[in-house]
Amino acid sequence: MMQENERFKELIDEIKSLPTPSINNKNQKLMHDHLMNIAGKNENNKPKQILRKKITTGIAGITTLLLFTIIILSLTDQEMNNASDTDSNAREGNEEVVNEYEEQETIVDFKEEQYQEIVEIYQNYEPPMEGEEVDYIDEEYGVIYYNNGISIVQDTKSIAHWPVDKEGESINPTSDQTLAAIKGDIEELKDKPIGTKEPFGIDYPNDINHKLDVLNRLKNYNHPYEPIMNWMTSTIGYFEKAKHLLNDEREEAILFYENGMNNISKFVSALEPGAGP
């Protein structure tokens, strides 16, 4: 009997030495219900002899403790697996976001020969000079004034005046005015504003944001000119990359900024009267 009690004691000590897991309220209730079920079964199976009762009670107690430990370890393992799955899903989600961001940063190279396609588009474009939308034409200066407030220089096919709405935003051009609006805005983007913080330095953050705002607005205009859309995608990509790198990789960011400015310069030069790409 002494040896049996010692074995029980050793077994109990080993069980107590196991690490204590943390379980939630739901799992605690499951364990409680399970143990109460075991206790009920033991109560219905009362032994006839006192010695057998003591032995059975001792064994039932240890059995219950063992089952309790097994249930705890099983539920803890399940929680750890669930936590691992959650972390894995979170990592996969983060990787998808990173991959999506990297895809957005992919820069489309706009080749030299593609500027000729843009030149041909503007060569075939003629601003409307008659119809209900035309207000009047200034023959002396070659400017066409329209009823929506926009005016276009006839020779250069670019905006001469572009009014704003009550919110201070440029009004949307008509489909016949879109090419002139695009050309006029891109011509204004070729300048590099000088910052006040650094003497004779370019205000990169504000200039990049300004150029991205203008280019994204122009890209949203409804027009069928794929070469111009491709040029905008390429140029926006350079400025987006510059913006992303500006704080940590300033020199590399400036290189992407200059690539975007180079796109703008080539666009403007290609459309100057008598000039080619």
Side-chain angles (χ1 to χ4, degrees):
M1 185 67 177
M2 182 65 68
Q3 293 178 351
E4 185 176 359
N5 287 337
E6 289 178 357
R7 287 197 301 272
F8 289 160
K9 185 177 183 301
E10 291 176 359
L11 181 57
I12 291 172
D13 290 340
E14 289 181 5
I15 292 173
K16 288 181 178 180
S17 68
L18 293 172
T20 302
S22 60
I23 55 178
N24 55 35
N25 293 333
K26 181 180 178 182
N27 289 336
Q28 288 178 9
K29 186 177 184 305
L30 289 174
M31 287 187 292
H32 178 269
D33 295 343
H34 188 69
L35 293 175
M36 291 301 294
N37 185 38
I38 294 173
K41 291 181 179 178
N42 289 336
E43 183 65 24
N44 293 330
N45 296 322
K46 293 183 178 179
K48 295 181 180 180
Q49 298 180 6
I50 296 175
L51 180 60
R52 184 179 176 188
K53 180 178 180 180
K54 291 181 179 180
I55 295 174
T56 303
T57 302
I59 294 174
I62 294 174
T63 303
T64 300
L65 186 56
L66 284 171
L67 288 172
F68 182 81
T69 304
I70 292 171
I71 292 170
I72 290 177
L73 294 176
S74 175
L75 291 173
T76 302
D77 184 63
Q78 182 178 358
E79 286 184 350
M80 292 177 65
N81 289 335
N82 290 338
S84 177
D85 291 340
T86 302
D87 291 341
S88 177
N89 292 335
R91 285 194 299 270
E92 290 177 0
N94 290 336
E95 289 175 358
E96 289 178 0
V97 172
V98 171
N99 291 336
E100 181 180 354
Y101 184 76
E102 289 177 351
E103 288 177 3
Q104 290 176 350
E105 280 198 335
T106 301
I107 297 174
V108 179
D109 186 28
F110 196 77
K111 297 178 172 50
E112 293 288 334
E113 56 269 20
Q114 292 179 283
Y115 284 99
Q116 182 58 40
E117 298 176 7
I118 294 178
V119 171
E120 292 174 358
I121 290 172
Y122 277 92
Q123 285 177 342
N124 295 324
Y125 167 61
E126 291 296 337
M129 299 184 64
E130 57 184 19
E132 294 182 357
E133 61 183 309
V134 177
D135 185 10
Y136 72 98
I137 299 176
D138 187 330
E139 298 288 352
E140 181 179 358
Y141 295 100
V143 178
I144 310 167
Y145 292 87
Y146 298 94
N147 290 324
N148 63 355
I150 290 178
S151 57
I152 297 176
V153 180
Q154 185 176 356
D155 291 340
T156 61
K157 303 176 183 179
S158 60
I159 296 289
H161 177 66
W162 195 341
V164 298
D165 56 23
K166 294 180 180 180
E167 285 73 32
E169 299 291 334
S170 299
I171 65 171
N172 289 327
T174 65
S175 58
D176 291 330
Q177 298 169 338
T178 298
L179 283 175
I182 291 173
K183 184 174 182 292
D185 260 0
I186 293 176
E187 286 173 344
E188 293 183 1
L189 292 180
K190 66 181 179 181
D191 296 326
K192 299 179 181 179
I194 303 300
T196 56
K197 293 183 180 180
E198 300 179 18
F200 307 106
I202 299 171
D203 188 355
Y204 288 108
N206 287 332
D207 191 40
I208 289 173
N209 286 332
H210 170 67
K211 286 177 167 55
L212 285 173
D213 288 343
V214 172
L215 290 170
N216 282 309
R217 172 167 54 81
L218 297 179
K219 192 175 182 180
N220 287 329
Y221 288 158
N222 184 22
H223 63 79
Y225 307 109
E226 185 176 354
I228 296 177
M229 293 295 288
N230 291 340
W231 178 89
M232 289 182 183
T233 300
S234 172
T235 309
I236 289 172
Y238 283 127
F239 288 123
E240 285 284 4
K241 190 73 173 180
K243 180 178 179 179
H244 176 62
L245 295 173
L246 193 59
N247 291 332
D248 300 324
E249 303 289 341
R250 187 176 178 84
E251 292 183 1
E252 187 175 358
I254 292 174
L255 291 177
F256 282 106
Y257 172 87
E258 291 298 337
N259 284 332
M261 293 301 299
N262 187 48
N263 270 19
I264 292 173
S265 177
K266 288 182 178 179
F267 185 100
V268 173
S269 298
L271 296 180
E272 288 179 351

